[in-house]
Amino acid sequence: MRRNTKWLLALVGVIVVFTGIWGFSHNSDGQASGSKLKTVKIGVAAGPYGDMATKVLGPLLEKKGYKVVTKEFNDYVQPNKALNSGEIDANLFQHSLYLKTFAKANHLKLSAISETPTLGMGIYSKKLSKLSTLKDGATVSIPNDPSNLARALQLLAAQKLITLKKHINVTTASKVDIATNPKNLKIKTLDAAQLPQSLSNVAITVVPGNYSWSAKLNPSKALALEKLQDDYKEVFVVKTSNKNAAFAKAVKSVLNSKEFKQAIAKSQFKDFDKPTSWQ
């Protein structure tokens, strides 16, 4: 009887040990343990998308077996070149029009796998609470680089502050393409990085998303936000040869998931323009 009791206790001990090992290597959701996560490096530029990658996308990708780390670049040239060379696994910093133009000009084989919420241009002011109080002859600052200049003019036109000439290519519009300026606004062009600092000296300023975010301008306080065309929405990019790889499929699944949409709605990115597929 005593021998049987010892044998039974030994068997129970073995079962406890194996149960502990199993529980250590598998969590309650059946996810891989942290030691088995595959690290992926995502290139970003200064602005909101690095935060989005780590704070919202990262935790959801972790459930699929990937640990997200970001590498920040100081310009819009290196992230695509680093992706093409294999220095990083993906990037999130550019809209689809820029990707197409840059990849073609530099003979890079890169592919967008999905759109993400995007912070468009906003009209901001320290002096006004609504655009209807903008006075005649007021000074307006807008970006001076061609792409952002054209978008700023389109935003002003959408708010009926100016009109643009008919039959022009609005994506390349400049100040000479203004048809009417009913409030006689004084439109001042500045380097985009200087626009937030100009708020004290102008009635309103039109600031691209990255620069407004870096300057801690709250999009919910903007007098107006740009309604983005698909070409100007941010995209998650991988090498074309990897667009059907397991990681790319995991990212696409997450970006189109109910969980990602809910996480965005509860985050600091809730006021961003949403992907067309969400509507």
Side-chain angles (χ1 to χ4, degrees), residues 48-175:
Y49 303 103
D51 290 338
M52 187 184 294
T54 55
K55 295 180 180 180
V56 183
L57 186 57
L60 295 174
L61 278 174
E62 190 166 315
K63 296 179 180 180
K64 292 185 175 293
Y66 297 95
K67 178 183 178 182
V68 168
V69 297
T70 58
K71 178 177 176 62
E72 185 171 308
F73 294 89
N74 296 321
D75 59 42
Y76 285 180
V77 174
Q78 295 308 311
N80 279 333
K81 291 189 174 181
L83 177 56
N84 189 68
S85 70
E87 180 184 341
I88 57 178
D89 300 293
N91 65 44
L92 178 58
F93 79 98
Q94 65 194 315
H95 54 60
S96 59
L97 182 59
Y98 180 83
L99 169 64
K100 293 172 186 175
T101 303
F102 188 91
K104 183 177 180 180
N106 292 275
H107 310 290
L108 306 180
K109 293 184 178 180
L110 307 177
S111 294
I113 58 175
S114 190
E115 292 178 350
T116 69
T118 307
L119 180 57
M121 284 189 175
I123 299 178
Y124 295 89
S125 178
K126 283 187 175 180
K127 303 175 182 179
L128 308 178
S129 59
K130 51 186 178 180
L131 282 175
S132 60
T133 61
L134 185 64
K135 295 181 179 179
D136 284 5
T139 301
V140 179
S141 58
I142 64 175
N144 61 11
D145 60 287
S147 176
N148 283 322
L149 171 60
R151 289 169 63 186
L153 292 175
Q154 290 178 65
L155 179 54
L156 293 176
Q159 298 304 312
K160 303 187 185 308
L161 297 176
I162 63 170
T163 64
L164 296 173
K165 295 176 182 177
K166 295 180 179 179
H167 311 302
I168 64 168
N169 182 349
V170 291
T171 63
T172 59
S174 66
K175 288 171 66 175

Side-chain angles (χ1 to χ4, degrees), residues 167-231:
H167 311 302
I168 64 168
N169 182 349
V170 291
T171 63
T172 59
S174 66
K175 288 171 66 175
V176 299
D177 296 310
I178 296 174
T180 63
N181 182 359
K183 285 184 174 288
N184 299 305
L185 300 175
K186 298 173 183 176
I187 300 177
K188 182 178 181 180
T189 57
L190 297 173
D191 182 89
Q194 297 176 4
L195 291 167
Q197 285 71 45
S198 74
L199 276 166
S200 299
N201 303 314
V202 299
I204 59 173
T205 184
V206 184
V207 189
N210 274 358
Y211 294 101
S212 64
W213 188 264
S214 296
K216 301 187 185 308
L217 298 176
N218 190 334
S220 67
K221 301 293 179 62
L223 302 184
L225 285 173
E226 179 182 26
K227 181 62 179 175
L228 290 164
Q229 301 174 22
D230 280 350
D231 278 349

